[in-house]
Amino acid sequence: SDLRYGAGLPVLTSGPEEEKLRPACGRLLHVDDLGRIEGWSEWLRETSSRIPDSTSPRRSRLLRMLVASVADQALSNTTTLEEGFAILRQHPQVCAELLQLLESLRSRVNHLPLTWRPDVPLTIHARYTSKEILAAVGVGTNAKVAPWQSGVFWVPSAQTDLLAFTLDKTSGEFSPTTSYKDRAISRELIQWESQSSTRADSKTGLRYRQHVARGTSVLLFARLCTDDRAFWFLGPATYVSHESERPMSIIWHLDHLLP
């Protein structure tokens, strides 16, 4: 859109928050599953600023992933999802560029969709930003998604532990206490280290070890380096064993083999 405007080519009418929303287009290059591409394209073609049909939790969360990703800089902590979607619809040129981008990204999808739960719009082996992950599992209710500051996040409402980690720690702001030894042992086993303060018999440590008996879930997300905005969703995992504590070195067994 900026290039077209600079070259004097036609662009659609600018919205009130154009400078805040337009850069978001370049932050969606990681989108690589048909659920987001088809769902988001459907809503971006809407001609009304009214919120589209999102009666199911999955569709509502999928819409929130779009609004939070694109309109984040224009949202307040109290902006509702309907208000956030209306802000997005006020920017026809942004919507037009996003539709073109999503159509281009469709050709990059190179994995089979694997659904975890019907109410959670996450596709196993697709990539997601932290905002999308939290929106997908239902953290918060308004359009804006709170920041995820660490690599672990317990979601009581979903009874789910989210574990996100970076494999290559040679770059980024990793201290000796946060350079956790996270790696793939094989296509089905992941070695992961907890936060440095976690004891094996603490509330968190016991939840990791006893999650099957308690009926809670553990979801793993990985990225290669800190420059990557998005994490690959490795899917649900099951506790196998652990060594030491503070941090705990845990072996997780993936439900789905790494591609």
Side-chain angles (χ1 to χ4, degrees), residues 89-121:
R89 290 303 312 158
Q90 292 170 4
H91 299 78
Q93 182 60 35
V94 172
C95 293
E97 182 169 335
L98 287 172
L99 280 168
Q100 293 182 357
L101 171 63
L102 291 172
E103 187 58 35
S104 177
L105 293 176
R106 182 186 295 269
S107 65
R108 299 188 185 185
V109 176
N110 61 1
H111 53 78
L112 296 175
L114 296 171
T115 302
W116 174 52
R117 269 176 31 184
D119 60 323
V120 178

Side-chain angles (χ1 to χ4, degrees), residues 27 30 69 127-134 229-231:
R27 296 197 294 268
H30 64 278
S69 296
R127 293 191 298 166
Y128 300 93
T129 64
S130 57
K131 281 188 176 67
E132 290 179 292
I133 295 168
L134 296 183
R229 293 183 54 82
F231 294 82

Side-chain angles (χ1 to χ4, degrees), residues 13-228:
T13 305
S14 295
E17 304 284 358
E18 194 80 12
E19 292 185 1
K20 294 180 180 178
L21 268 65
R22 196 176 282 184
C25 298
R27 296 197 294 268
L28 297 183
L29 294 174
H30 64 278
V31 175
D32 58 352
D33 70 281
L34 294 178
R36 278 176 293 178
I37 290 172
E38 293 177 352
W40 290 1
S41 296
E42 173 191 341
W43 291 319
L44 288 166
R45 293 190 187 97
E46 285 279 341
T47 56
S48 170
S49 61
R50 294 184 61 187
I51 195 168
D53 175 33
S54 56
T55 52
S56 74
R58 182 183 184 87
R59 284 180 62 83
S60 178
R61 292 174 180 182
L62 191 64
L63 177 61
R64 186 172 176 234
M65 291 164 72
L66 170 64
V67 173
S69 296
V70 178
D72 178 70
Q73 298 300 313
L75 303 175
S76 71
N77 291 332
T78 58
T79 304
T80 66
L81 182 55
E82 185 169 5
E83 292 168 341
F85 182 69
I87 291 173
L88 178 58
R89 290 303 312 158
Q90 292 170 4
H91 299 78
Q93 182 60 35
V94 172
C95 293
E97 182 169 335
L98 287 172
L99 280 168
Q100 293 182 357
L101 171 63
L102 291 172
E103 187 58 35
S104 177
L105 293 176
R106 182 186 295 269
S107 65
R108 299 188 185 185
V109 176
N110 61 1
H111 53 78
L112 296 175
L114 296 171
T115 302
W116 174 52
R117 269 176 31 184
D119 60 323
V120 178
L122 292 176
T123 300
I124 296 170
H125 299 157
R127 293 191 298 166
Y128 300 93
T129 64
S130 57
K131 281 188 176 67
E132 290 179 292
I133 295 168
L134 296 183
V137 297
V139 177
T141 56
N142 289 327
K144 196 173 183 66
V145 177
W148 181 357
Q149 302 287 6
S150 67
V152 298
F153 202 111
W154 165 243
V155 186
S157 60
Q159 289 292 285
T160 298
D161 274 293
L162 308 175
L163 311 180
F165 53 93
T166 303
L167 294 170
D168 182 357
K169 298 182 175 66
T170 57
S171 63
E173 298 179 356
F174 292 100
S175 68
T177 58
T178 59
S179 294
Y180 301 115
K181 298 179 179 64
D182 307 318
R183 65 189 181 98
I185 297 173
S186 67
R187 290 184 62 194
E188 60 184 354
L189 295 177
I190 299 290
Q191 174 185 303
W192 173 84
E193 287 193 338
S194 70
Q195 290 187 303
S196 58
S197 60
T198 304
R199 294 182 179 275
D201 289 331
S202 66
K203 180 179 179 180
T204 300
L206 289 172
R207 193 175 66 242
Y208 293 156
R209 294 164 54 195
Q210 301 172 357
H211 75 96
V212 173
R214 297 184 181 198
T216 65
S217 300
V218 177
L219 304 183
L220 301 189
F221 300 84
R223 64 181 177 181
L224 181 59
C225 61
T226 53
D227 290 338
D228 295 335

